[in-house]
Amino acid sequence: MKEELSEMEGIHSLLDCCKDSDVMQLFQKKTYTDAFQRMYQEHIATFDRIEEGYHNSEEKEQYLTALADELTAYAVEKVDACPRKNQKEHLQMDLNMTMAVFVLPMVLEFHGDSSKSFAQKLTESWKRSFPKTNLSAAEFTTIEDGFHKTWCYITTAVCRTFDKPDDCYELRTLREYRDTYLADSPGGSELIQEYYDVAPSIVKHINQQPDSGRIYYSIWEKWLAPCISMIESGQKEACREHYVEMVHTLQKKYFH
């Protein structure tokens, strides 16, 4: 019984990893790597217990499903305890972010025999309890790498909505603009650095919306397509102003 209780407490602690911190402040270029590594080290014992339980269980998939459902039930309990609707929504947003950028990447970082299946069970259980959430499992290296592509981070997300490849014309055009014009212009490097801190979080928030596809189409029509046209016609400074306005607008709406 003591071992079982310890295991459940370990499952709960995964979701509480950001309890004393603002998850959005941790999920920034300057803080994310250190925060993730610290949390991962703090929870290795939990992953060891899960892996041991997985190997000792005769019904391995049911074992992982039960653990995933326990974590999700703990999240539902937290949300239901909030007295007001806006508090529930804010907490659910924080829990979604905690799952997306810390819990699921930590599970995959362990690289145990149970890890991939457990991550899948977690996403499935989470979506059953929070059906409006577009949660998916990504490895730490994939998320961390996104901070180094920030000028095109939002554009990449939009292009994926259109099923465009990573070397599509639109992305190549903006990357060339970033490297040959923006980086060498006054304040350009500082502007790119600013995006390092906000764009990945903007994309994460949009991905959690049930109508994320519609949002990305709107971003394309209102912001990105005009930017591409400005670059093509040599209006490089106008492109800069339009792109900055886009990021600031999206930041106000999706960066909380």
Side-chain angles (χ1 to χ4, degrees), residues 82-92:
C82 293
R84 298 179 182 177
K85 182 180 179 181
N86 65 331
Q87 291 177 325
K88 292 180 186 288
E89 293 175 348
H90 183 76
L91 177 58
Q92 186 176 333

Side-chain angles (χ1 to χ4, degrees), residues 10 13-14 16-18 26 31-51 98 101-115 118 138-141:
S13 73
L14 291 176
D16 287 337
C17 65
C18 297
L26 295 177
T31 57
Y32 178 58
T33 298
D34 288 344
F36 178 86
Q37 296 296 347
R38 172 176 54 79
M39 291 179 188
Y40 177 67
Q41 292 300 322
E42 290 174 353
H43 290 88
I44 281 183
T46 295
F47 298 129
D48 282 334
R49 287 196 295 270
I50 293 172
E51 184 75 359
T98 299
V101 303
F102 288 110
V103 177
L104 290 169
M106 284 195 293
V107 170
L108 295 174
E109 184 76 6
F110 186 71
H111 295 297
D113 293 335
S114 64
S115 297
F118 186 40
E139 294 187 1
F140 162 72
T141 53

Side-chain angles (χ1 to χ4, degrees), residues 1-235:
M1 179 63 69
K2 183 178 180 181
E3 180 65 24
E4 181 180 353
L5 179 61
S6 177
E7 187 175 75
M8 290 301 102
E9 289 176 341
I11 290 295
H12 293 173
S13 73
L14 291 176
L15 200 64
D16 287 337
C17 65
C18 297
K19 181 174 62 176
D20 299 324
S21 305
D22 184 345
V23 63
M24 295 306 299
Q25 292 300 317
L26 295 177
F27 187 55
Q28 297 186 25
K29 184 175 184 290
K30 295 179 180 179
T31 57
Y32 178 58
T33 298
D34 288 344
F36 178 86
Q37 296 296 347
R38 172 176 54 79
M39 291 179 188
Y40 177 67
Q41 292 300 322
E42 290 174 353
H43 290 88
I44 281 183
T46 295
F47 298 129
D48 282 334
R49 287 196 295 270
I50 293 172
E51 184 75 359
E52 181 180 359
Y54 175 78
H55 283 293
N56 292 337
S57 176
E58 294 183 0
E59 300 292 340
K60 291 179 169 49
E61 295 304 306
Q62 291 181 15
Y63 167 78
L64 294 178
T65 297
L67 292 181
D69 288 345
E70 174 65 27
L71 183 144
T72 301
Y74 184 55
V76 172
E77 181 182 342
K78 283 177 168 289
V79 173
D80 288 345
C82 293
R84 298 179 182 177
K85 182 180 179 181
N86 65 331
Q87 291 177 325
K88 292 180 186 288
E89 293 175 348
H90 183 76
L91 177 58
Q92 186 176 333
M93 179 74 74
D94 284 348
L95 293 176
N96 288 340
M97 285 295 296
T98 299
M99 286 292 293
V101 303
F102 288 110
V103 177
L104 290 169
M106 284 195 293
V107 170
L108 295 174
E109 184 76 6
F110 186 71
H111 295 297
D113 293 335
S114 64
S115 297
K116 288 186 178 180
S117 183
F118 186 40
Q120 180 181 352
K121 299 295 185 185
L122 284 170
T123 56
E124 291 172 352
S125 180
W126 196 268
K127 289 178 181 179
R128 284 195 297 269
S129 294
F130 303 106
K132 294 183 179 180
T133 300
N134 186 24
L135 185 69
S136 61
E139 294 187 1
F140 162 72
T141 53
T142 300
I143 297 174
E144 199 273 339
D145 185 56
F147 285 106
H148 304 290
K149 301 178 179 177
T150 311
W151 174 256
C152 299
Y153 204 96
I154 296 172
T155 309
T156 299
V158 173
C159 286
R160 285 175 179 167
T161 302
F162 287 91
D163 291 326
K164 292 179 178 289
D166 189 60
D167 62 346
C168 68
Y169 170 76
E170 292 81 3
L171 282 169
R172 285 190 285 108
T173 299
L174 280 174
R175 285 169 182 157
E176 182 179 359
Y177 169 79
R178 174 196 63 192
D179 295 338
T180 62
Y181 176 78
L182 187 64
D184 293 332
S185 65
S189 296
E190 291 78 6
L191 185 59
I192 294 172
Q193 182 65 42
E194 177 186 349
Y195 294 156
Y196 281 164
D197 288 336
V198 300
S201 296
I202 290 172
V203 169
K204 282 291 181 181
H205 276 302
I206 293 176
N207 286 345
Q208 291 168 2
Q209 305 303 311
D211 58 345
S212 59
R214 181 193 61 79
I215 295 171
Y216 283 131
Y217 277 107
S218 176
I219 292 173
W220 170 258
E221 292 180 353
K222 183 174 182 179
W223 303 104
L224 295 178
C227 275
I228 299 295
S229 296
M230 291 172 189
I231 294 172
E232 292 173 333
S233 62
Q235 303 176 62

